[in-house]
Amino acid sequence: MPGDSLKVNINGGATNRNSYDAIVIGSGISGGWAAKELCDLGLKTLCFERGRDITHIKDYPTATKKIPGSSRIAAK
């Protein structure tokens, strides 16, 4: 809404434990990479994700599918 940016809430009593240098919304390919880069630069980074937990291999139905035109099969 117009004018919302003028409403600033500053928590001057916050502790270092509750403070972050950067906040990333979404840990998809771009958000995940952004969070990694920010952490690599030494920034205290918080990343929010609303998606469900993903289990490697199990939650990717094509993870072990044969790659067309290749003798290679994705790792199990």
Side-chain angles (χ1 to χ4, degrees):
M1 304 292 299
D4 281 351
S5 61
L6 300 176
K7 298 176 185 175
V8 178
N9 182 10
I10 298 175
N11 184 2
T15 64
N16 189 38
R17 185 187 81 211
N18 296 325
S19 298
Y20 296 91
D21 300 315
I23 299 173
V24 177
I25 309 297
S27 63
I29 192 162
S30 296
W33 191 261
K36 176 233 180 272
E37 291 292 313
L38 293 167
C39 289
D40 285 351
L41 292 171
L43 277 72
K44 186 175 176 185
T45 306
L46 174 66
C47 187
F48 285 106
E49 177 57 55
R50 73 175 186 150
R52 64 182 177 87
D53 283 341
I54 302 288
T55 302
H56 187 62
I57 301 294
K58 181 182 133 241
D59 290 327
Y60 294 97
T62 59
T64 56
K65 184 177 179 181
K66 185 175 182 326
I67 299 168
S70 171
S71 58
R72 194 174 87 119
I73 296 177
K76 287 187 178 184

